[in-house]
Amino acid sequence: MPVPDLGELVGHAREGRPHAVARLISLVEDSSPQMAEIARALTPHTGRARVVGLTGPPGVGKSTSTSALLTALRADGLRVAVLAIDPSSPFSGGALLGDRIRMTEHATDPGVFIRSMATRGHLGGLSVATPQAVRVLDAAGFDVVLIETVGVGQSEVDVVRLADSTVVLLAPGMGDGIQAAKAGVLEIADVFVVNKADRDGADATVHDLKQMISLARRELRGPSWRQPIVRTVAANGEGVGEVVEALRAHHEWLTGHGELTRRRSARARAEVAAIALRRLHAELADLRHGDRLTELAERVVARELDPFAAADRLVTELKN
Amino acid sequence: MPVPDLGELVGHAREGRPHAVARLISLVEDSSPQMAEIARALTPHTGRARVVGLTGPPGVGKSTSTSALLTALRADGLRVAVLAIDPSSPFSGGALLGDRIRMTEHATDPGVFIRSMATRGHLGGLSVATPQAVRVLDAAGFDVVLIETVGVGQSEVDVVRLADSTVVLLAPGMGDGIQAAKAGVLEIADVFVVNKADRDGADATVHDLKQMISLARRELRGPSWRQPIVRTVAANGEGVGEVVEALRAHHEWLTGHGELTRRRSARARAEVAAIALRRLHAELADLRHGDRLTELAERVVARELDPFAAADRLVTELKN
């Protein structure tokens, strides 16, 4: 493809034209050299969108829930974008295809934009590309940007937890998993949703969650957000209005307690550090036209040098 | 715990004493300040162990296969260590517990060492800690180190693909997944295992795999390793001897074609780069006692600066 006129592209994206939005996301997803220029052009027009993360273990109905949430937010007149974060593992192809097909019910709605993002192979790819894509959607005037993780790896969860509000989806019959994983789940959830609430075991799941939350609260000092637990049957829309309401209440709490700025600062810290590290990584790999890292690695294989000593030399040379 | 005498610990580990091995792995897993010292002390005694990676999507029987492979390698008189890489996602607790319990059948065998590794939250944690743990096991005289991934995230797969030989497990009834994911799967597998081969659909899975492999081979120039497909029923040990044989043949091919050194260099490159980046990350976060990154992040939130410009300043300051 020819090099696009960025000014024109940004202008069109700000008018909400889907092709321009999609093109800009492709450019930031592929780590194009224009990434920095795009961010600079978009930055003045951002800061308005609410960023909502949505995550949970496989089988809880994440894409059905995302779709139902989309419908509910649209009914309130909001423009909504969805970023579905693909796990870049080689074993994840099948599920995704299903997600994309299910999303087609919103395909003709101009107030909805849906995009899958996959970033294979390069260090920190997801943590650099995702905030850039959010920036594009924010500047394009979407009121809500939903980041849905399809995968459950650490990097996917890290991306979601940097949202303004994070929804953790669970479903009945996962009691053991919740127990074993409780620390992590409590840490990232602002709103709990127990989906498939018409199934056996929903009460037990809600009960387990309540107990976990109340135990965790005892360790807290001062006032804090009370993580609500909403029951839904996403497949028929039951309870989804309450999720929207819980998110609204959380957003109000965030702004009322200075927490929104704190979260956005944390997100910006992570973003700036990830960009800097990616650049440093490229510089390390390029030292002496790429020969230096290879040479040091070969000395490690030959057991002449341990890897920490090799890394020390690399860092020293990078700085000189 | 008190600071251990590293010299003594390394000595005991080299004698194969399990407590010393376990303690050293804990030290490298927790990124203790002694990590570098431990690597330096161990490095001269390494390079002998064969490192085998084992991965595959959920539900294919990874831990049953690992256990069966352990039994078969032990029958050949080899000392075997297993590193089970925990996905550090908050949603993964349940499955792991099951893995650990199943492994107890080898718990009383002094020629077997089994260890789960979880590394939460810090960038590149897995890519720094795993090679250190392999180094401990190598120096402790294990003939084979099996790295099994429990998770399927990119970082887990990256770790496994850096083994000398990588086994990719599949099972019948995953045809769609294989199709969608074929590029990634072909790239990482040295040996394919179709487990649960007594179930319906095993022939179709093997057929799909063969087709994928022959398509991919057309694009290759020169002689290369022919990825074998082995059928197993790990639950009763069927076919597991053939997996051992395929791994032996692959090891011979690796050494005969200079590929072993090439792979170990690639592993060392990744390790050295990960250590260097972790150190650079810490230095970025510490600039002006941690205030600089925060200050730049706040300017990004205020839209005075885009994140790429902020990262530029950070990198420049780091080098001065």
Side-chain angles (χ1 to χ4, degrees):
Chain A
M1 275 194 272
V3 175
D5 178 335
L6 279 188
E8 194 181 296
L9 212 49
V10 167
H12 287 172
R14 289 191 57 210
E15 292 162 17
R17 295 200 203 177
H19 284 295
V21 173
R23 187 72 205 279
L24 283 175
I25 293 181
S26 296
L27 286 169
V28 297
E29 187 180 38
D30 296 344
S31 314
S32 81
Q34 295 133 313
M35 228 176 169
E37 210 182 323
I38 293 169
R40 192 167 56 239
L42 294 172
T43 294
H45 312 293
T46 56
R48 219 187 51 81
R50 281 164 54 193
V51 183
V52 175
L54 197 141
T55 187
V60 295
K62 278 196 292 289
S63 58
T64 315
S65 295
T66 299
S67 183
L69 208 50
L70 256 173
T71 306
L73 292 163
R74 287 297 292 142
D76 286 351
L78 298 171
R79 294 182 63 219
V80 189
V82 176
L83 278 180
I85 305 295
D86 285 20
S88 34
S89 146
F91 303 118
S92 53
L96 271 187
L97 215 59
D99 286 346
R100 291 207 192 92
I101 290 162
R102 236 173 302 177
M103 287 294 193
T104 52
E105 61 179 283
H106 303 283
T108 55
D109 180 346
V112 168
F113 184 92
I114 297 171
R115 171 72 174 235
S116 289
M117 290 216 359
T119 54
R120 274 189 66 84
H122 44 83
L123 178 118
L126 215 53
S127 44
V128 173
T130 311
Q132 307 317 316
V134 170
R135 186 167 283 115
V136 172
L137 296 165
D138 187 354
F142 288 98
D143 300 295
V144 178
V145 178
L146 274 178
I147 307 178
E148 179 201 330
T149 54
V150 179
V152 293
Q154 182 66 42
S155 48
E156 288 87 7
V157 171
D158 282 349
V159 164
V160 166
R161 77 194 302 176
L162 289 174
D164 298 336
S165 307
T166 299
V167 177
V168 171
L169 280 168
L170 298 165
M174 309 183 55
D176 288 351
I178 295 177
Q179 280 311 316
K182 57 185 174 182
V185 166
L186 277 173
E187 212 179 294
I188 63 176
D190 298 308
V191 174
F192 281 107
V193 171
V194 175
N195 190 32
K196 306 184 183 181
D198 52 347
R199 296 205 183 163
D200 280 350
D203 287 341
T205 303
V206 171
H207 177 82
D208 283 358
L209 267 176
K210 276 190 182 157
Q211 226 163 15
M212 276 168 48
I213 294 172
S214 77
L215 277 170
R217 288 188 69 81
R218 277 188 221 150
E219 290 161 27
L220 289 173
R221 280 166 295 175
S224 73
W225 169 251
R226 291 188 159 269
Q227 297 156 313
I229 305 172
V230 183
R231 294 171 191 239
T232 62
V233 183
N236 65 21
E238 241 181 86
V240 177
E242 284 166 63
V243 179
V244 172
E245 177 51 30
L247 284 170
R248 199 203 46 70
H250 185 247
H251 189 75
E252 217 161 77
W253 180 85
L254 284 173
T255 47
H257 290 74
E259 183 69 13
L260 189 65
T261 309
R262 205 199 58 76
R263 288 204 179 187
R264 291 187 170 180
S265 289
R267 196 154 83 213
R269 269 182 72 100
E271 184 184 6
V272 171
I275 294 168
L277 279 174
R278 195 162 66 162
R279 195 173 127 186
L280 290 167
H281 191 194
E283 290 185 13
L284 287 180
D286 280 352
L287 277 175
R288 297 197 207 157
H289 310 287
D291 292 342
R292 189 54 177 151
L293 179 53
T294 303
E295 194 182 297
L296 287 167
E298 276 161 12
R299 294 191 59 194
V300 170
V301 174
R303 296 187 288 279
E304 297 164 18
L305 208 60
D306 71 81
F308 290 86
D312 273 354
R313 295 193 192 183
L314 212 55
V315 169
T316 306
E317 289 170 27
L318 177 80
K319 291 186 178 174
N320 289 328
Chain B
M1 276 195 273
V3 176
D5 178 333
L6 277 188
E8 194 181 296
L9 212 48
V10 167
H12 287 173
R14 290 192 57 212
E15 293 162 16
R17 296 200 202 176
H19 283 296
V21 174
R23 186 70 203 281
L24 282 174
I25 294 181
S26 296
L27 285 169
V28 297
E29 186 180 40
D30 295 346
S31 314
S32 81
Q34 294 134 313
M35 229 175 169
E37 211 183 323
I38 293 169
R40 191 166 58 237
L42 295 172
T43 293
H45 313 293
T46 56
R48 220 187 50 81
R50 282 164 54 194
V51 183
V52 175
L54 198 143
T55 187
V60 294
K62 278 194 295 288
S63 57
T64 314
S65 296
T66 300
S67 183
L69 208 51
L70 255 174
T71 304
L73 291 164
R74 287 298 292 142
D76 286 350
L78 298 171
R79 295 181 64 218
V80 190
V82 176
L83 277 181
I85 305 293
D86 285 19
S88 34
S89 144
F91 302 118
S92 54
L96 271 188
L97 216 58
D99 287 343
R100 291 208 193 93
I101 289 161
R102 236 173 301 175
M103 288 293 194
T104 53
E105 61 181 282
H106 303 283
T108 56
D109 180 346
V112 168
F113 183 91
I114 296 170
R115 170 72 174 234
S116 290
M117 291 215 358
T119 54
R120 275 189 66 83
H122 44 82
L123 177 117
L126 216 51
S127 45
V128 173
T130 310
Q132 307 318 316
V134 170
R135 186 167 283 116
V136 171
L137 296 166
D138 188 352
F142 287 99
D143 301 294
V144 178
V145 178
L146 275 178
I147 308 179
E148 179 202 330
T149 53
V150 180
V152 293
Q154 182 64 43
S155 48
E156 288 87 8
V157 171
D158 282 348
V159 164
V160 166
R161 80 192 301 173
L162 288 176
D164 298 335
S165 307
T166 298
V167 177
V168 170
L169 281 167
L170 298 166
M174 309 182 54
D176 288 351
I178 294 178
Q179 279 312 317
K182 58 186 174 181
V185 166
L186 277 173
E187 209 178 297
I188 63 175
D190 299 305
V191 174
F192 281 108
V193 172
V194 175
N195 190 33
K196 305 183 182 180
D198 52 346
R199 297 207 182 161
D200 281 352
D203 288 341
T205 303
V206 171
H207 177 82
D208 283 358
L209 267 177
K210 277 190 182 155
Q211 226 164 15
M212 277 168 46
I213 293 172
S214 78
L215 277 170
R217 288 188 70 79
R218 276 186 223 154
E219 290 162 29
L220 288 173
R221 282 167 293 177
S224 73
W225 169 251
R226 290 187 162 270
Q227 297 157 313
I229 305 173
V230 184
R231 294 171 191 240
T232 61
V233 183
N236 65 20
E238 242 181 86
V240 178
E242 285 167 61
V243 179
V244 172
E245 177 50 30
L247 284 170
R248 200 203 45 71
H250 186 246
H251 190 74
E252 219 161 74
W253 179 87
L254 284 174
T255 47
H257 289 73
E259 182 70 12
L260 189 65
T261 309
R262 207 200 57 75
R263 287 204 181 188
R264 290 187 172 179
S265 290
R267 195 155 83 212
R269 268 181 74 99
E271 184 185 5
V272 171
I275 294 168
L277 279 175
R278 195 162 67 162
R279 193 173 127 185
L280 290 167
H281 191 193
E283 289 185 13
L284 286 180
D286 279 352
L287 277 174
R288 296 196 205 158
H289 312 286
D291 292 343
R292 188 54 176 149
L293 179 52
T294 304
E295 193 182 297
L296 287 167
E298 276 161 11
R299 294 190 58 192
V300 170
V301 175
R303 296 188 288 278
E304 297 164 18
L305 209 58
D306 73 80
F308 290 84
D312 274 354
R313 295 194 191 184
L314 212 53
V315 169
T316 306
E317 289 171 25
L318 178 80
K319 290 186 178 175
N320 290 327

